[in-house]
C-alpha cells in the first residue's frame, strides 16, 4: 500500500478494513482461529462479572458503615467468597486466557502480515494456514517472552488503578468519621433520636440516618473526586500510549528476525525496536488502543449494571455471548491495524535510513 505523509487513525482503520475485505479466505481463517478464545471468554466474563459484583457488594457495605457505628458488621462468608473468586479469576486470567490470547494474537498477526505483503493473487486457505503455522512455530517462544514482559508492565499499571480506587474509597470513608469515643444520644420522641456528639448532628428516625453534611466536608469530597478522576484519566492515557508500543513489540516478535542468524527478536529488544519504529508516529497507535479499550468497557458496563451473571432466565448469558463476540471482532481489527502500523512505520524508517546512506555515499564521492 502507498505510504502517506502522515498516517492518521482513520487511515489506519481504512487500511485494516481494506486488508480484511481483500481476501474472503483471510476472514474465514481469522474467524476459525478466534473461535477457541471466544468460547473461553464467555466463561471467563461470567466469572469476572460475579467477582466484580461480589467485590462491589463487600466494599459498599464497608463504605456504608464506616463512620456511623462502633462495630462494623463483619460478613466473613462474603469476604471468603470474594477472596475465592479473586483467586479463581486471577488464575483463569494468568494461564488459560493469557495463553489462548497469545496464540490467537500470533496467528492473527502472522496471517495479516502474509496477506498485507502478498502482491500476487489472493492466498488460498490451505496456503494461508500452512504459512501461518510455519511462522508461529518459529516465533511462539520469543512471543511468550515478550508477552511476559508486557504482562509485568501492564500489571504495574493496573496496580496504579487499584491503588487510586482504594485510596479514594478510604478517604471518602474518613469524611464521615467523627469522635466515637464518647457518643451518646438524646431521646426526643419515641422513635426519633439525635446524635449530639458527632461534628454534624445526625437524626435517626425509624432506623434511617439523615446527616446534615458540613459544606467544608462536601467541598473536600468534591476535590478528592476531581483529584482521583484526574489520576484515572492520566493513567488511562498513559496505558493506551504504552499499550500501543507493547502491541508493536509483540508484532515485532512475530515478524522480525535477526539478519545474522535468522532468529526472532523478542523481550526488551523487541520493545526497544518497536519504540524506534514508532518514534514520531505514536498518535495513531494511541487512538487505536484508546478506542478499543473504551469499546470493551462500554460493552461490559451494561452487563454489570444488569447483573447478567445472576440472571436465571439465560438472557445474561446471551448478552454476554453477544458482547464477547463484539470484543473478539474488535480484537481482530486491533491487531490487523497494529500490523498495518508496523509495516508503515518500518517502511518509513527503512526508507529514511536508505536516504541517509545514499546521501552519505554521495557526499563521500563528491569529496
Amino acid at each position: 500500500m502507498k505510504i502517506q505523509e502522515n498516517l492518521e487513525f482513520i487511515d489506519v482503520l481504512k487500511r485494516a478494513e481494506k486488508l480484511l475485505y481483500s481476501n474472503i479466505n483471510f476472514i474465514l481463517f481469522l474467524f476459525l482461529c478466534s473461535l477457541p478464545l471466544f468460547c473461553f471468554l464467555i466463561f471467563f466474563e461470567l466469572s469476572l462479572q460475579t467477582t466484580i459484583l461480589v467485590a462491589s457488594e463487600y466494599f459498599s457495605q464497608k463504605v456504608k458503615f464506616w463512620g456511623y457505628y462502633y462495630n462494623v458488621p463483619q460478613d466473613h462468608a462474603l469476604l471468603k467468597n470474594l477472596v475465592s473468586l479473586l483467586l479463581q479469576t486471577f488464575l483463569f486470567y494468568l494461564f488459560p486466557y493469557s495463553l489462548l490470547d497469545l496464540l490467537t494474537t500470533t496467528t492473527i498477526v502472522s496471517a495479516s502480515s502474509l496477506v498485507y505483503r502478498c502482491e500476487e493473487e489472493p492466498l488460498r486457505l490451505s496456503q494461508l494456514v500452512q504459512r501461518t503455522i510455519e511462522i508461529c512455530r518459529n516465533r511462539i517462544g520469543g512471543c511468550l517472552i515478550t508477552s511476559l514482559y508486557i504482562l509485568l508492565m501492564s500489571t504495574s499499571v493496573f496496580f496504579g488503578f487499584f491503588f487510586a480506587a482504594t485510596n479514594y474509597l478510604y478517604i471518602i470513608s474518613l469524611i464521615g468519621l467523627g469522635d466515637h469515643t464518647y457518643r451518646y444520644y438524646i431521646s426526643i420522641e419515641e422513635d426519633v433520636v439525635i446524635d449530639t456528639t458527632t461534628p454534624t448532628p445526625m437524626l435517626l428516625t425509624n432506623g434511617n440516618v439523615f446527616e446534615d453534611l458540613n459544606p467544608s466536608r462536601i467541598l473536600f469530597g468534591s476535590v478528592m473526586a476531581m483529584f482521583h478522576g484526574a489520576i484515572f484519566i492520566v493513567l488511562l492515557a498513559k496505558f493506551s500510549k504504552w499499550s500501543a508500543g507493547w502491541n508493536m513489540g509483540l508484532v515485532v516478535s512475530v515478524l522480525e528476525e535477526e539478519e545474522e542468524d535468522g532468529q526472532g527478536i523478542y523481550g526488551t529488544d523487541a520493545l526497544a525496536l518497536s519504540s524506534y519504529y514508532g518514534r514520531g508516529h505514536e498518535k495513531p497507535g494511541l487512538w487505536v488502543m484508546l478506542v478499543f479499550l473504551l469499546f470493551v468497557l462500554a460493552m461490559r458496563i451494561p452487563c454489570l449494571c444488569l447483573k447478567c451473571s445472576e440472571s436465571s432466565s439465560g438472557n445474561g448469558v446471551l448478552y454476554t455471548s453477544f458482547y464477547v463476540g463484539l470484543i473478539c471482532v474488535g480484537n481482530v481489527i486491533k491487531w490487523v491495524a497494529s500490523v498495518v502500523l508496523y509495516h508503515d512505520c518500518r517502511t518509513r524508517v527503512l526508507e529514511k535510513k536508505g536516504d541517509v546512506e545514499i546521501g552519505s555515499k554521495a557526499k563521500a564521492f563528491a569529496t
Side-chain angles (χ1 to χ4, degrees), residues 8 171 230 287 334:
E8 299 294 338
I171 292 176
W287 278 106
K334 179 188 73 173

Side-chain angles (χ1 to χ4, degrees), residues 182-198 201-205:
Y182 301 102
R183 168 175 284 186
Y184 61 92
Y185 301 95
I186 299 176
S187 178
I188 298 178
E189 294 179 1
E190 183 177 356
D191 57 351
V192 178
V193 178
I194 295 180
D195 180 2
T196 61
T197 59
T198 56
M202 293 188 301
L203 179 65
L204 288 78
T205 306

Side-chain angles (χ1 to χ4, degrees), residues 93 150-151 153-158 161 231-247 285-286 289-290 292-293 297:
Y93 176 80
I150 295 174
L151 182 63
M153 290 183 289
S154 61
T155 302
S156 63
V157 180
F158 287 139
F161 281 110
I231 292 178
F232 267 87
I233 293 174
V234 171
L235 282 176
L236 183 62
K238 289 294 184 182
F239 179 72
S240 300
K241 182 180 179 179
W242 294 335
S243 296
W246 298 338
N247 288 344
L286 185 150
M289 288 306 305
L290 185 59
F292 178 75
L293 182 60
L297 292 176

Side-chain angles (χ1 to χ4, degrees), residues 23-218:
N23 190 341
I24 187 63
N25 293 323
F26 179 48
I27 298 178
L28 179 60
F29 179 71
L30 294 181
F31 170 77
L32 293 175
C33 71
S34 300
L35 199 57
L37 182 62
F38 167 76
C39 296
F40 177 77
L41 268 180
I42 297 175
F43 170 76
F44 178 76
E45 287 292 326
L46 291 173
S47 175
L48 180 63
Q49 292 169 23
T50 304
T51 303
I52 293 176
L53 290 175
V54 173
S56 175
E57 181 181 354
Y58 177 78
F59 286 112
S60 64
Q61 285 186 4
K62 291 295 183 182
V63 173
K64 178 180 178 181
F65 290 108
W66 273 336
Y68 294 108
Y69 299 95
Y70 281 119
N71 299 318
V72 179
Q74 299 293 330
D75 195 339
H76 296 288
L78 184 62
L79 179 59
K80 184 179 179 180
N81 187 29
L82 175 60
V83 172
S84 175
L85 287 172
L86 285 173
L87 182 61
Q88 172 184 290
T89 305
F90 175 74
L91 292 176
F92 282 152
Y93 176 80
L94 190 62
F95 177 66
Y97 173 73
S98 297
L99 184 60
L100 270 176
D101 185 54
L102 177 63
L103 292 174
T104 305
T105 298
T106 307
T107 306
I108 293 173
V109 169
S110 304
S112 301
S113 182
L114 287 172
V115 175
Y116 187 92
R117 294 182 299 174
C118 183
E119 298 180 356
E120 306 170 356
E121 61 182 13
L123 293 172
R124 296 193 301 271
L125 183 60
S126 58
Q127 294 176 321
L128 194 59
V129 172
Q130 182 180 359
R131 296 184 186 181
T132 301
I133 291 177
E134 183 178 352
I135 294 175
C136 294
R137 183 177 56 192
N138 297 330
R139 298 285 186 269
I140 190 64
C143 292
L144 180 60
I145 295 175
T146 305
S147 66
L148 290 177
Y149 277 95
I150 295 174
L151 182 63
L152 180 62
M153 290 183 289
S154 61
T155 302
S156 63
V157 180
F158 287 139
F159 274 126
F161 281 110
F162 179 77
F163 175 77
T166 306
N167 188 61
Y168 176 69
L169 287 175
Y170 178 69
I171 292 176
I172 289 300
S173 69
L174 290 179
I175 295 176
L177 286 176
D179 184 8
H180 298 285
T181 306
Y182 301 102
R183 168 175 284 186
Y184 61 92
Y185 301 95
I186 299 176
S187 178
I188 298 178
E189 294 179 1
E190 183 177 356
D191 57 351
V192 178
V193 178
I194 295 180
D195 180 2
T196 61
T197 59
T198 56
T200 57
M202 293 188 301
L203 179 65
L204 288 78
T205 306
N206 294 327
N208 297 320
V209 179
F210 302 95
E211 184 176 3
D212 184 17
L213 291 175
N214 193 314
S216 61
R217 189 177 300 180
I218 298 177

